[in-house]
Amino acid sequence: MGQPTPATDDGWWRSAVIYQVYVRSFADGDGDGTGDLAGVRARLPYLAELGVDALWFTPWYRSPMKDGGYDVADYRAIDPAFGTLAEAEKLIAEARELGIRTIVDIVPNHVSDQHPWFRAALAGGPGRELFHFRPGRGEHGELPPNDWQSEFGGPAWTRLPDGDWYLHLFAPEQPDLNWAHPAVRQEHEDILRFWFERGVAGVRIDSAALLAKDPELPDVTDGRAPHPYVDRDELHDVYRAWRAVADEYGAVFVGEVWLPDTERFARYLRPDELHTAFNFSFLTCPWDADRLRTSIDDTLAEHAPVGAPATWVLCNHDVTRTVTRYGRADTGFDFATKAFGTPTDLALGTRRARAAALLSLALPGTVYVYQGEELGLPEADIPPDRIEDPMHARSGGTDPGRDGCRVPLPWAAGEPHAGFGGDPWLPQPDGWAAYAADRQAEDPGSMLSLYRAAIRLRPESGDGLLTWLPAPDGVLAFTRADVLCVVNLADTPVDLPAHTELLLHSGPLDTAGRLPGDTAVWLRA
């Protein structure tokens, strides 16, 4: 077993760069076409050279993989496709020796239908109290108990042969847990301790605002407040109990909290609850100076009263990759059209993604980098017969799903499968080797070189507060400590403000020394 994290908190998470690892697509160490812990361990020197402070692993637990591992069958075991618990312990320890902490994913809203609890519940008896089983409506119970819809499309209820229905806000293979039951709460506190004892420094909480349900399970269309399953007040007692556990180990939380109400959002970040939560307004913002500034200002303002750091992220395993998203005429975020819409100009998207990288890494708070973003990977078109994401099937094929951002990484341009390992579980597009890490490492103008330089220089801004500077329309300019960041989102070049040193730029200046459109620069004031 790895060494437990000491019960101290030096605040590292307040300004960390955290790298998201989707294990299945990161690196294949045994040649079977699926990424694994051996592949991650072999690439730890790459991650250390990138300069990240921590790794966030999407679920690596035993799972039937009906939803990419977010259908967990055993929270205390590593899925055999990825490795073993002993390997995970070695990975945590080896990463820590390189100065890299580990964050694991917890999926508290639901489990796999192969989880022992649910299998026992299917057999009847008191085990059903751990989930939401109900008789149906209609003359013969043939209608779902209420009108709730799955996040993946279709009803949020599945009927069993005995006539009862069970709730699943996601896929039918992911039955929702009943968080009003004390055994559910105790089990998850025990799971936290299990991983903290193995040296894990933090936990990312999946679907953090969905756990608690109105016990009456009313129709959503009733319009009653609060919402029957989103952001219910009783959730905060759960997270206060979790915080007490984390504080014993000096561990931290980041919550996946999608809420439009900024005041409600900030409640999760009170000093005795979660340390941080993902900032989705920045991720979903189009490439527009005014809207980005509003997003940044609103984010900082909503975090200030509770003293929590903001988080900044451009992409994750659920979202169209940045290069593709910013290369569209309509750069706003839309789950329903993430693989369609206007054609993508990859050259434009790459310029904007490079500038956005410097923007996000210049902001105060924590930055998350999804694997492959540092390589400038675009979204991949997956043949329909190879799509595994349940969102595609549940939508009747109208939603392309999220597999386009989950294609296995290219590591070596001259090797089979671009150095990923065996024949990848998702197909790599033609030309994928052009993005290979080994090729980019030798190119000072590559996306990888830009990320390495930016992460290395980022500490120079320290904990400085953000101060906006006057700037032309379409331009963002601010200082932190003595570092000045300018991002030109306009169509025409602009003059740089007075400065003493050019630290880094996302693209070359023009012949007159001006900053072109879709370009960012860091300067020493």
Side-chain angles (χ1 to χ4, degrees):
M1 183 185 300
Q3 293 299 314
T5 303
T8 59
D9 177 8
D10 60 6
W12 66 271
W13 46 276
R14 289 184 169 273
S15 59
V17 177
I18 300 174
Y19 187 93
Q20 181 187 353
V21 178
Y22 191 80
V23 178
R24 198 177 183 188
S25 297
F26 185 73
D28 171 18
D30 62 9
D32 66 357
T34 296
D36 48 38
L37 301 190
V40 179
R41 290 175 64 199
R43 301 293 180 179
L44 284 175
Y46 166 89
L47 295 165
E49 187 171 1
L50 184 59
V52 299
D53 300 292
L55 306 178
W56 156 35
F57 290 89
T58 54
W60 55 14
Y61 314 110
R62 185 183 297 276
S63 167
M65 296 293 168
K66 298 297 184 181
D67 181 26
Y70 282 88
D71 49 320
V72 180
D74 185 348
Y75 285 97
R76 296 175 178 83
I78 300 297
D79 193 87
F82 299 151
T84 65
L85 179 59
E87 283 185 282
E89 292 171 347
K90 289 180 181 178
L91 172 55
I92 294 166
E94 290 167 357
R96 194 66 185 88
E97 289 175 1
L98 293 172
I100 301 174
R101 294 172 169 87
T102 298
I103 296 172
V104 296
D105 218 314
I106 293 293
V107 190
N109 179 71
H110 49 265
V111 293
S112 165
D113 61 358
Q114 300 303 305
H115 190 283
W117 279 7
F118 192 70
R119 295 175 72 176
L122 292 181
R128 293 202 171 189
E129 297 176 359
L130 301 175
F131 300 90
H132 299 278
F133 284 85
R134 295 290 189 278
R137 296 190 289 192
E139 184 178 355
H140 304 290
E142 72 277 10
L143 300 176
N146 63 29
D147 66 356
W148 296 5
Q149 295 295 296
S150 164
E151 296 289 319
F152 290 167
W157 295 90
T158 290
R159 196 179 192 189
L160 297 171
D162 64 11
D164 268 358
W165 297 73
Y166 70 88
L167 175 67
H168 51 86
L169 289 181
F170 294 87
E173 295 86 0
Q174 296 167 292
D176 279 38
L177 290 165
N178 174 16
W179 273 86
H181 198 291
V184 174
R185 293 185 57 162
Q186 184 61 55
E187 169 67 357
H188 282 77
E189 291 175 23
D190 291 345
I191 291 167
L192 293 175
R193 291 181 186 279
F194 179 88
W195 287 106
F196 292 154
E197 289 289 342
R198 281 157 178 78
V200 163
V203 168
R204 179 262 190 186
I205 306 168
D206 181 69
S207 301
L210 302 184
L211 279 57
K213 277 77 174 178
D214 185 324
E216 296 182 13
L217 300 181
D219 286 346
V220 172
T221 51
D222 282 352
R224 69 170 73 183
H227 193 283
Y229 64 81
V230 176
D231 183 36
R232 295 184 60 81
D233 286 342
E234 53 265 43
L235 263 177
H236 297 284
D237 287 337
V238 171
Y239 293 135
R240 288 189 185 97
W242 284 26
R243 179 61 177 263
V245 175
D247 284 349
E248 295 177 26
Y249 298 87
V252 299
F253 292 119
V254 56
E256 184 192 28
V257 183
W258 290 82
L259 292 177
D261 186 324
T262 58
E263 182 178 348
R264 298 286 300 185
F265 173 86
R267 296 179 72 212
Y268 290 84
L269 300 175
R270 289 175 292 194
D272 61 345
E273 296 192 41
L274 306 184
H275 300 75
T276 62
F278 284 124
N279 166 28
F280 292 113
S281 73
F282 185 75
L283 181 153
T284 60
C285 194
W287 189 246
D288 177 89
D290 290 339
R291 292 179 67 175
L292 279 168
R293 175 164 177 170
T294 296
S295 173
I296 293 167
D297 284 340
D298 289 351
T299 297
L300 296 175
E302 71 189 18
H303 284 74
V306 288
T311 63
W312 312 100
V313 60
L314 295 172
C315 184
N316 62 33
H317 65 294
D318 289 331
V319 177
T320 304
R321 283 202 178 270
T322 310
V323 165
T324 297
R325 200 169 69 248
Y326 282 159
R328 293 176 179 158
D330 176 8
T331 56
F333 179 86
D334 186 346
F335 268 117
T337 61
K338 57 181 171 284
F340 303 108
T342 56
T344 296
D345 179 341
L346 289 182
L348 173 64
T350 299
R351 287 199 304 275
R352 290 175 171 177
R354 290 174 64 91
L358 291 196
L359 170 61
S360 63
L361 287 163
L363 294 170
T366 308
V367 177
Y368 283 79
V369 178
Y370 176 49
Q371 66 180 42
E373 286 292 288
E374 82 280 11
L375 301 178
L377 296 182
E379 188 82 355
D381 289 328
I382 308 298
D385 63 337
R386 295 291 302 274
I387 294 175
E388 297 199 10
D389 186 359
M391 291 183 72
H392 177 68
R394 299 242 337 149
S395 70
T398 60
D399 190 316
R402 299 160 293 178
D403 287 347
C405 67
R406 300 175 177 181
V407 174
L409 298 188
W411 290 101
E415 296 182 10
H417 314 300
F420 171 72
D423 187 11
W425 69 278
L426 280 178
Q428 294 173 319
D430 292 339
W432 207 238
Y435 297 97
D438 67 341
R439 178 175 292 180
Q440 293 201 37
E442 302 300 321
D443 178 5
S446 70
M447 185 76 83
L448 177 58
S449 294
L450 178 71
Y451 265 90
R452 285 177 173 175
I455 293 171
R456 182 177 65 253
L457 288 171
R458 187 170 185 263
E460 292 193 12
S461 62
D463 295 324
L465 298 177
L466 184 151
T467 302
W468 292 106
L469 301 176
D473 290 344
V475 177
L476 300 175
F478 60 86
T479 59
R480 286 188 60 215
D482 66 342
V483 175
L484 193 159
C485 177
V486 184
V487 187
N488 183 7
L489 294 87
D491 295 328
T492 57
V494 296
D495 292 326
L496 294 178
H499 59 279
T500 61
E501 183 182 358
L502 174 61
L503 296 173
L504 191 60
H505 51 74
S506 67
L509 304 180
D510 71 7
T511 55
R514 296 174 301 178
L515 186 66
D518 299 319
T519 309
V521 66
W522 288 2
L523 308 168
R524 193 174 305 283

